[in-house]
Amino acid sequence: MRRAGIASVVLTGALISAWPASGQAPDLDRRLALFARYLDPLRTQLGIPGVSAAVVSGGMIVWESGFGYADVEQRIPAAAD
């Protein structure tokens, strides 16, 4: 359970730190691509077999994806849902 807490903090920090400090609207697509690029290596480093992730903004899902395996033994990939 401790690993999940650490991952949550790291992922939240990564997403928040990618947000611009100025009042400009962020380039959401670019920032989400950067977030996705770091998420899978982090999952691997923490030894998490699979993760489903979503980013919600204004009550709408703006990005979702799955990384790794939902079932390692049967090699079923993780999906966004």
Side-chain angles (χ1 to χ4, degrees):
M1 189 57 109
R2 178 141 171 79
R3 283 187 175 187
I6 292 170
S8 297
V9 170
V10 170
L11 296 177
T12 302
L15 190 57
I16 289 171
S17 67
W19 226 254
S22 68
Q24 294 178 318
D27 177 4
L28 189 58
D29 290 336
R30 185 174 59 86
R31 295 187 192 288
L32 290 173
L34 179 64
F35 178 67
R37 191 170 71 217
Y38 286 105
L39 186 57
D40 197 39
L42 180 61
R43 175 196 63 79
T44 303
Q45 179 183 4
L46 294 174
I48 301 170
V51 64
S52 298
V55 174
V56 178
S57 178
M60 305 273 299
I61 296 173
V62 295
W63 174 87
E64 59 184 351
S65 189
F67 300 91
Y69 292 102
D71 186 326
V72 175
E73 292 176 0
Q74 295 185 18
R75 313 241 345 133
I76 298 171
D81 59 351

